[in-house]
Amino acid sequence: MLLAVLFANSEGNILVERFNGVPAEERLHWRSFLVKLGAENLKGAKNEELLVACHKSVYIVYTVLGDVSIYVVGKDEYDELALSEVIFVITSAVKDVCGKPPTERVFLDKYGKICLCLDEIVWKGYLENTDKERIKRLIRLKPPVDF
Amino acid sequence: MAQPFAKKDDDRDEEAEYSPFLGIEKGAVLQEARVFHDPQLDPRRCSQVITKLLYLLNQGETFTKVEATEVFFAVTKLFQSRDIGLRRMVYLMIKEISPSSDEVIMVTSSLMKDMTSRTDVYRANAIRVLCQITDGTLLGQIERYLKQAIVDKNPVVASAALVSGIHILQTNPEIVKRWSNEVQEAVQSRAALVQFHALALLHQIRQNDRLAVSKLVTSLTRGTVRSPLAQCLLVRYASQVIRESANNFQTGERPFYDYLESCLRHKSEMVILEAARAITELSGVTNRELTPAITVLQLFLSSSKPVLRFAAVRTLNKVAMTHPMAVTNCNIDMESLISDQNRSIATLAITTLLKTGNESSVDRLMKQITNFMSDIADEFKIVVVEAIRSLCIKFPLKYRSLMNFLSNILREEGGFEYKKAIVDSIVILIRDIQEAKEIGLLHLCEFIEDCEFTYLSTQILHFLGIEGPKTADPSKFIRYIYNRVHLENATVRACAVTTLAKFGATVDSLKPRIIVLLRRCLFDSDDEVRDRATLYLNTLGADGSVAETDNDVKEFLFDSLDIPLVNLETSLRNYEPSDQPFDINSVPKEIKAQPLAEKKAPGKKPIGLGAPPTAPSAAVDAYDKLLSSIPEFASYGKLFKSSAPVELTEAETEYAVNVVKHIFDHHVLFQYNCTNTIPEQLLENVTVVVDASEAEEFSEVASKPLKSLPYDSPGQTFVAFEKTDGVPAVGKFSNVLKFIVKEVDPTTGEAEEDGVEDEYQLEDLEVVAADYMQKVGVSNFRNAWESMDPEGERVDEYGLGSRESLAEAVNAVMNLLGMQPCEGTEAVPSNSRSHTCLLSGVFIGNVKVLVRLSFGISGQNEVAMKLAVRSEDENVSNTIHEIVASG
């Protein structure tokens, strides 16, 4: 299960958070844990350089893209390898929507589209689409070209 | 930490034009949502409002029921618009709001229409939305469409239906199970993702059917799997099949190993790692099987991608626990990971190295770790400390450098858990390594000179009191202890006084000086400290009066009170001040609750300060004390062995009963631990009526009923049997619980006066030969064997018939005899055709017994065994043979 996808700005403010199967009372803990993890490790990281950590039996893969840091959290079959696949899809989709690694402003301008992309990529804790071209068409309700 | 949680709308002023969501406020957005009701919809504006709503929701904002309903109804209006972008937003918004079941009906018709739409993408989205918001009843109506969608030629539609299936399976499994055929077809799809989703769903549908899973894996490993994600799933399912069929393939090649091995050459790194991990986790994996997997993992250790390095080192870390030698080849690569930017990787590398390193590399490793420790978080440090602790036990000669390391990090900054882990480790080293005692105690002394944690200070003082006096020069610890009396809080001061007294009682030469120090404590500002000082001065005989004998003093200072603290507390509360002093002998010794030792998780070795060295003897001691305090059983002599509790009731029944078998020389005593789980009942006069007609060598001699058994407060009743001397009598006992039951008024908690007699059938209980054997190991079996008289050796051969495997046969004989396996010989390597197992134990009558078992297995799984027994008593050697012959 993909437990969480979280976007934060460079100051640690949350831009997007989507939890799956995480009880409401634990979300605050996760949010602060992830933001702290990013603050400690993401400084100086290159765009899309993946960082990895585990906390109990849960895995976390995170990265930075422009002004935005992205975290994905998973357990069981969503281990560090599957998560790196997921975060790769997410970063490509975000770059595609924004045209480049986004500043916070650009990210927020494209907020609606990014939400739609996430909706295509992760659905209730499962990875659904992995191809950015297809995702690009799907969020405009266009059928995929590659079948 | 408040800052990071602040929403964007709390941003600072200079960012005024920065955010398009500046000053966003839930109430205002909800007002804006009224545009959804406009007869002339403006799609662009509607999309913007939805984006704002999403922004609020994505930041953890919640809508009240009324707000959610209002938004939901408004959003449903947007189905009228033909704007494609807006429609996509509407789908997402409905999923985000997840309307309640009575509201869903508003959109079902629109969604059903979309679900049968000609436009593929409408279909896919409608499926996802419907499956998220629908309940079981509606599912029946749309099932037909879902089945069609699974085999739809458009992969987006098929995937949407398949992933929906995965979700619906959690709530309505019986419906999804009917889709097997369609899902099976989808597994063969040419679209990579469809195959991935279909495989996941099909496996979930069939997960309880081993044969079906095995067939699925067989067919797919031969066919083509298009996506690496699906390949990873297949690797997992294959290893599951291997695990479940482990017993059937003892002799031949392991099934699917070739497949796993071929995946090590897959072009996707994800698949390679998954396969390598699967191979390392095979049960009883051989070195030959392991080698290719370790080789690819080693390559990944120097990958440029942190995720791959992490995955590789994490896997090797696990392998190091079971096959440390297999990982040593990677040590050089792993050493370079100690300086890895990613601390998780570095910690894993270090703990792996600590497991695989040899004695000569310890010093170099410690040097590298010292640099590393300063910049990792406490949670990582604890992992490292624990690894160092086990390393030291493995290489006791290296205690000096490891102890130095521990004492150095003890002086540095750190939280409570971290410090506790270090102190615990030092304590264990002191206990296990004789030479480390003095130096370790001094490190602990230095630590308490500047320790901010009261708990750790008191625990260390307590430990010092026990171990300090046994050292060559106990006087050097006194300064550290007495400093506590001046510098610390009352809790630590009181503890220091006790520790001083322990030194005084044990070391005669120090006694006069200790008495001087204790006298100074009489002026302490705290009552407890003064009271303790007074008490100990009296017990040590400082006032010139006749002191108690040395033994009495030591017993008082070092032994526990032998009285359950709860009972003592109750007695003290009930005591009314009078001329009669409080008599500690009047406190009942009967333990109300079960002895603590029973409740401990099995197999968990107690660690830390003041804990008893081994669990089993502690349990026996606790039983021994309990039983000898009951007059009826006091005459039975020394308790030889107590079994683990055997459950006589199923879980979650009205009355929970388990029994502990206590073995004495001439008696067997059953201790029935009973718990009443019904709050409305009080049980009185509880007994167990035992029918021993199938245990002829036993005759019942005593029974001790339990007076009362209130709700959820365990109690014990006993039944004792006499048995023939020296013979390991065996037999079967059937048990019935008899009692008087009284109704309890739940409001007042008072029981009615009159009760009704009732009984409750319990499971049967057996006394077996293994009950007369204590599991006592020997450190060097060969030496122990040679030192026993060969004259008393008895050898014979036995056919054990057809067995599932060699391991199963070895286990059966070990369980029959109840002896301690030595030198790891209880583990039978897979595929081996013969095996020798060494056992040791002490038989009733305190007779040492050693057993050498040699097994061989034929092609037809017929097992033969040679049994050689040596013991201090020939009769016992014969008895062991009789036990095996009759078992």
Side-chain angles (χ1 to χ4, degrees), chain A residues 11-14 17-18 50 52 59 77 79-80 104-105 111 119-120 123-124 127-128 140-141, chain B residues 4 6 8 17-18 58-59 84 88 95-96 125 128 132 167 197 236 277 306 311 314 342:
Chain A
E11 286 145 30
N13 296 314
I14 306 298
E17 66 171 20
R18 297 174 70 90
L50 294 191
V52 60
Y59 305 99
E77 69 268 40
D79 59 10
E80 67 273 25
E104 187 177 346
R105 169 77 207 207
Y111 198 84
D119 186 45
E120 294 290 352
W123 182 34
K124 278 173 77 176
L127 178 62
E128 190 165 351
R140 286 157 38 221
L141 284 181
Chain B
K8 277 305 297 157
E17 353 56 51
Y18 198 58
N58 275 335
Q59 292 205 313
I84 290 179
R88 182 66 187 81
K95 282 195 282 186
E96 290 288 325
N125 277 296
R128 295 197 297 183
Q132 171 143 349
H167 292 305
H197 292 135
R236 278 185 205 146
R277 201 171 274 172
R314 183 164 78 85
N342 194 316

Side-chain angles (χ1 to χ4, degrees), chain B residues 517-535:
Chain B
L517 295 179
L518 284 179
R519 282 218 175 96
R520 290 188 196 160
C521 301
L522 290 173
F523 304 104
D524 195 279
S525 59
D526 185 77
D527 295 353
E528 172 77 20
V529 180
R530 287 198 307 273
D531 285 356
R532 284 197 189 194
T534 314
L535 173 67

Side-chain angles (χ1 to χ4, degrees), chain B residues 711-725:
Chain B
Y711 162 67
D712 205 23
S713 161
Q716 296 115 8
T717 164
F718 299 86
V719 181
F721 288 85
E722 204 167 43
K723 65 176 183 66
T724 326
D725 211 4

Side-chain angles (χ1 to χ4, degrees), chain B residues 544-609:
Chain B
S545 65
V546 183
E548 293 172 60
T549 63
D550 262 10
N551 273 346
D552 284 347
V553 174
K554 280 181 194 160
E555 205 171 282
F556 173 67
L557 276 167
F558 289 96
D559 284 6
S560 64
L561 275 175
D562 276 1
I563 299 169
L565 282 179
V566 192
N567 298 5
L568 181 60
E569 188 185 342
T570 330
S571 298
L572 280 170
R573 278 181 197 281
N574 294 338
Y575 172 71
E576 280 170 21
S578 65
D579 293 343
Q580 281 283 318
F582 178 78
D583 180 10
I584 199 153
N585 293 321
S586 68
V587 182
K589 291 187 176 178
E590 226 166 302
I591 303 168
K592 265 279 163 54
Q594 295 176 18
L596 238 158
E598 275 175 44
K599 288 184 182 163
K600 267 185 197 158
K604 198 167 179 192
K605 209 177 158 195
I607 50 163
L609 297 143

Side-chain angles (χ1 to χ4, degrees), chain B residues 7 156 220 655 689 761:
Chain B
K7 286 182 205 156
V156 176
L220 281 173
Y655 313 112
V689 178
Q761 184 68 44

Side-chain angles (χ1 to χ4, degrees), chain B residues 310-330:
Chain B
F310 178 82
V313 76
R314 183 164 78 85
T315 311
L316 288 170
N317 187 285
K318 273 196 191 156
V319 181
M321 291 186 198
T322 48
H323 297 81
M325 292 314 288
V327 185
T328 44
N329 281 346
C330 310

Side-chain angles (χ1 to χ4, degrees), chain B residues 206-372:
Chain B
R206 297 185 172 167
Q207 60 187 345
N208 296 323
D209 181 352
R210 281 188 199 185
L211 191 66
V213 173
S214 172
K215 274 187 184 165
L216 174 70
V217 172
T218 311
S219 74
L220 281 173
T221 47
R222 286 183 194 142
T224 40
V225 177
R226 288 183 173 77
S227 88
L229 285 166
Q231 194 73 259
C232 282
L233 286 185
L234 192 55
V235 168
R236 278 185 205 146
Y237 302 156
S239 53
Q240 183 194 345
V241 173
I242 297 176
R243 214 170 26 249
E244 282 168 358
S245 59
N247 294 331
N248 305 337
F249 294 92
Q250 264 291 313
T251 49
E253 270 289 290
R254 208 192 284 274
F256 300 119
Y257 174 79
D258 288 341
Y259 163 71
L260 292 182
E261 208 252 357
S262 72
C263 286
L264 292 177
R265 294 182 292 278
H266 199 273
K267 59 180 186 299
S268 160
E269 290 152 340
M270 186 160 55
V271 177
I272 300 176
L273 272 163
E274 194 65 51
R277 201 171 274 172
I279 290 176
T280 60
E281 283 167 7
L282 293 175
S283 74
V285 62
T286 62
N287 275 338
R288 193 174 58 86
E289 289 170 324
L290 210 49
T291 309
I294 301 285
T295 311
V296 297
L297 289 172
Q298 186 176 5
L299 288 175
F300 281 123
L301 287 180
S302 44
S303 161
S304 59
K305 297 179 187 167
V307 172
L308 298 181
R309 294 201 300 275
F310 178 82
V313 76
R314 183 164 78 85
T315 311
L316 288 170
N317 187 285
K318 273 196 191 156
V319 181
M321 291 186 198
T322 48
H323 297 81
M325 292 314 288
V327 185
T328 44
N329 281 346
C330 310
N331 279 2
I332 295 178
D333 302 84
M334 223 127 36
E335 278 186 31
S336 58
L337 288 185
I338 295 181
S339 52
D340 198 292
Q341 284 275 307
N342 194 316
R343 302 286 83 181
S344 301
I345 296 178
T347 313
L348 281 168
I350 284 195
T351 48
T352 315
L353 281 168
L354 289 175
K355 285 175 198 138
T356 60
N358 51 30
E359 202 155 353
S360 59
S361 64
V362 169
D363 292 323
R364 186 162 46 93
L365 210 53
M366 298 318 291
K367 211 169 164 190
Q368 275 172 301
I369 297 175
T370 313
N371 301 330
F372 161 86

